[in-house]
Structure formats: C-alpha cells, structure tokens
Amino acid sequence: MAEALERQARALLTAQAVRARAGQMLEIGLAGGLSHFTIDLDRMDDVAEAVLAITRRAYPTLEIPFHARWRHFVIGGVDRWSGLANAASWPDRAARARAEFDLAIVSVLLDAGAGATWRYRDATSGESIGRSEGLAIASLDMFAGGLFSGEPRAPFRADADVLARLPLASLTFAFQVSEANPLLGLEGRTDLLRRLGKQVSERAEVFGLRDRPRPGGLFDHIAAQANGGAIAAPTILSAVLNQLGPIWPSRLALAGVPLGDCWRHPALKADDGTGGLVPLHKLSQWLSYSLIEPLQRAGFDVTDIDGLTGLAEYRNGGLFVDHGVLRLRDAADAERAHAVDSLLVVEWRALTVALLDRLAERIRTKLCRTPETLPLASILEGGTWAAGRAIAFARRPDGSPPLKVISDGTVF
C-alpha cells in the first residue's frame, strides 16, 4: 500500500500530470462547475491575434528561441552571459554546462515576483531595471562576482556549502534592497537558496559526480540518462522535481514525497490517493526550459520539448483574464488579495496551463506550423508572456496582474 501511494505521488512530479489535471480543470470550468471562474472560449481568437502581433514585432522572421532564463540576460541587444562565458577558458563543454546549470538554477529560484516598485541599477548600462529582467541581471552580477563560489579564483560556480549559509544581508545588498526599494519575498528567496545548498550537500551522489557538490552537478546526473545522445525534456523536469523537490518549504507531501508546487482543489477527482491534488510545477518547469540550451551546447539532442507544459504564472494567467477568456464570478475578487493555496488561485493557474495548450494550437494553425517547428516553449517566448505583460500595462498603469496574489517569493 505504501509503495503504491509513493508511486502515485511520484506520478504527480511530471509534466504529464500537470497537463492532465489542468485539462480536467478546464473541462470542469467549461461545464460551469468552478466556484470562481467562467470561461469564454469565443475570446481565444483575440488572444491569439494579440500574441501573434507581439511575436511578429519581437521576432519578425518567426525564428523564436525558447522561453528561458537566458533571454533575460540580454540587455540592449547585448548577451551578458555569452560575453562572459565566451571569454572564459573552459576545460571542456561539460565544465561550461555545469556553470550554466549553476547559474540557471540559482537565477530561476530567485525569479519570483519582485513587486511593482523594486528596481536594480545596472552598473554596465546605467539603467534601472525592474521585475524579472532586473532579478536576472542582479543574479548574473552576483554569480559573475563569485557570491556563490567557494573558490575565490573561480567565480563562475555555485557551491553547496556557500549556498547553505548564505546571509540574508548578502542578498539584501546584492539586490540593492532598501526601504525606498523594497523587494517582495526576500527572506523566502534567501531561505530557498539555503535549502538548495543543504539538499545538494546531502545528495553528493547526484550533485558531486565530477566536482564538489554544486547544483551544476545535476548536469552530470541528467547527461548519464541520455539515450544515443538524446535527452527528452520531461526527463529534465523529472530530475529537477525528484532531486530538488525537498527544497520547497511547507508544501504538501504524499507518502513522504514532497509534491512541490502542488495544491488542493476538491473538484479534481482521481481513483487513487491523489484525488483533489493539482500539480503545476511552475518554477521547476521554467528551470527545465532554461536547462535545455546548456544541454544542447554540451552536444545533446533535447527532444519532446512539448512534453513540458505552459507556465502557471501571472503574465500568462493575466493574459486570459484581461482578454476576457477567464471571468470572475464575483467581480469583487479582483480587488481582494488571494493566498497561493486559495481555490481561486489554484483554478486560475490550472486553467492557464490548459488554455495555453489550446492557444498554441490556434497560433500554429494561423502560421501553418507544427509542434516540432513551433514548440510551446517558443510560443511562450514570442509570445504569451510578453502579451500578458503588454495588456497588463495597457489596463493598469503599474502593469500589475489583474488578480492580486500573496507571494512568499517561492511560487510566482
């Protein structure tokens, strides 16, 4: 019995489970069975056109890269990480990949919502950069400056023991946080990196195969699972969820298995012990998308990229609310603040994942593309995230999402 329940729990740590349960939530919503949202699919074509317009402006040739953390390291057309990495001397491609895994993992874990007012003053460009891009450049500066390294002469690494004892004051200073420049969830971000360091230290058999324990050791763990030089994208997510799962604080667990970004909703039925559970794994999938390119640069063929799902976050979700595909049953809910485990937020996020799949089908049809020639990762980048931000700023001066979510710095 215990073994069966553990298998059921592990099955929730997959993109397949995210897609299936999100699809169930959409079907329930289309049947009028959700407590907080109604759904108007007639508005989906407007969303598709808005996404296409944004995409064509950003990528006129429709050669669209993947939605990944690496895009945020490009400021004013200059790719900051590529400049640093190309100037470095790497003993082999695997060494660079470990460094890129270190950077991506730390940077993504720091990439929860920053709030509307926080800004990072970039010393190179002189710009004050907010939101996800500001967090990205700040994290890159920390990494390049050796904040996470235990070797003074080797800054481009994140060592487990350094992360495990990272002082809050170090991140406060590095993010330029002050009373006049507050950053949401700073304590949560610091705690998450400490938990990452502890987890990596305790699993040296995974993270220390070729070096001292470091998050970048996950590269070797994933590379060992390659089949004929190919690695399926869901394999990346499986490694992220199973090896890094315990870092997520105070979340649900089943049969002793931490479920990460997984929440309860009574409308979701199952004929096993996972009934009522809604996995979303937003940051883990964002991280998995961001690990594809380092694996490709290391010589691996990453396949089944559409095996991952869309991301259940507020830009993609806001896109559907602001365009009227998702409508609140109670308009007053737009003014209230909602906890991440509230039924309203769980519904919103799951519906977002399912609607992104339907939107991708429409966009591919309009462009005469296939999932192979236009994967979901490129549609997100082109794409839905930017279109969600654009309509947010058109509707609200500060660009805030249409729904208010109380974030602890580890979900959005």
Side-chain angles (χ1 to χ4, degrees):
M1 178 66 180
E3 288 182 2
L5 197 58
E6 182 177 346
R7 283 197 302 273
Q8 294 162 16
R10 295 280 176 202
L12 292 174
L13 301 180
T14 63
Q16 183 180 9
V18 174
R19 181 164 272 123
R21 303 255 162 143
Q24 288 180 40
M25 189 77 80
L26 179 60
E27 292 305 318
I28 294 166
L30 290 172
L34 295 180
S35 53
H36 293 285
F37 289 96
T38 61
I39 304 163
D40 183 0
L41 292 182
D42 290 340
R43 306 303 298 271
M44 284 287 280
D45 204 60
D46 290 343
V47 181
E49 290 298 333
V51 172
L52 280 171
I54 288 273
T55 300
R56 286 190 171 106
R57 282 201 295 274
Y59 301 99
T61 65
L62 296 181
E63 295 298 316
I64 311 164
F66 298 146
H67 189 56
R69 194 55 162 162
W70 310 105
R71 309 289 83 77
H72 290 156
F73 297 142
V74 180
I75 299 293
V78 177
D79 188 333
R80 297 281 182 83
W81 169 245
S82 287
L84 292 167
N86 292 338
S89 177
W90 306 102
D92 51 41
R93 290 191 295 182
R96 174 170 174 165
R98 288 182 203 106
E100 291 183 330
F101 266 53
D102 276 341
L103 173 56
I105 291 169
V106 169
S107 186
V108 166
L109 292 182
L110 290 171
D111 186 35
T117 61
W118 176 81
R119 295 289 184 274
Y120 182 73
R121 177 80 174 177
D122 175 32
T124 301
S125 67
E127 293 182 47
S128 289
I129 310 168
R131 304 184 186 273
S132 198
E133 293 88 346
L135 293 169
I137 294 300
S139 66
L140 178 58
D141 285 349
M142 294 177 211
F143 186 74
L147 180 62
F148 311 116
S149 173
E151 298 184 16
R153 289 180 290 184
F156 294 168
R157 58 183 295 129
D159 287 296
D161 55 343
V162 175
L163 292 169
R165 60 175 189 270
L166 188 68
L168 174 62
S170 293
L171 280 189
T172 302
F173 180 79
F175 275 127
Q176 303 172 357
V177 174
S178 66
E179 286 188 13
N181 191 36
L183 176 65
L184 293 180
L186 181 59
E187 291 82 2
R189 295 168 211 267
T190 307
D191 182 58
L192 199 56
L193 290 191
R194 290 173 182 162
R195 294 167 74 101
L196 170 67
K198 183 172 182 290
Q199 174 71 4
V200 169
S201 293
E202 291 175 353
R203 292 198 178 174
E205 74 281 5
V206 172
F207 295 98
L209 292 174
R210 299 287 184 271
D211 199 345
R212 294 201 318 275
R214 55 191 285 200
L218 191 64
F219 165 77
D220 300 293
H221 175 75
I222 293 172
Q225 300 176 61
N227 184 4
I231 297 168
T235 299
I236 303 172
L237 178 63
S238 177
V240 168
L241 288 171
N242 284 284
Q243 302 305 330
L244 298 180
I247 73 174
W248 302 106
S250 305
R251 300 274 174 77
L252 299 176
L254 185 64
V257 177
L259 299 181
D261 185 5
C262 181
W263 312 90
R264 294 192 186 278
H265 195 292
L268 270 290
K269 308 299 182 186
D271 56 7
D272 61 17
T274 68
L277 294 176
V278 185
L280 295 164
H281 306 314
K282 181 262 174 175
L283 276 178
S284 294
Q285 293 206 79
W286 172 229
L287 175 55
S288 298
Y289 280 126
S290 299
L291 297 181
I292 291 173
E293 288 160 74
L295 285 163
Q296 290 174 327
R297 282 191 282 270
F300 293 97
D301 178 22
V302 181
T303 61
D304 192 19
I305 291 171
D306 264 27
L308 301 179
T309 78
L311 302 180
E313 49 80 56
Y314 67 90
R315 289 306 184 199
N316 289 322
L319 177 70
F320 295 114
V321 173
D322 278 335
H323 277 282
V325 176
L326 296 179
R327 295 177 179 170
L328 291 167
R329 289 189 180 276
D330 181 357
D333 275 332
E335 304 306 318
R336 301 183 182 113
H338 306 276
V340 291
D341 63 349
S342 66
L343 295 188
L344 182 147
V345 173
V346 175
E347 287 180 12
W348 181 35
R349 297 182 71 207
L351 291 170
T352 295
V353 171
L355 289 169
L356 284 168
D357 276 343
R358 294 208 177 195
L359 180 63
E361 292 173 6
R362 285 178 182 250
I363 289 172
R364 290 182 188 125
T365 298
K366 288 174 180 289
L367 295 177
C368 299
R369 295 289 191 95
T370 66
E372 291 72 32
T373 59
L374 188 64
L376 180 59
S378 296
I379 292 172
L380 295 174
E381 173 60 26
T384 60
W385 191 87
R389 172 181 278 187
I391 194 167
F393 274 98
R395 295 288 178 88
R396 292 166 295 279
D398 65 353
S400 59
L403 301 178
K404 299 178 177 66
V405 179
I406 303 166
S407 174
D408 65 354
T410 65
V411 177
F412 284 93

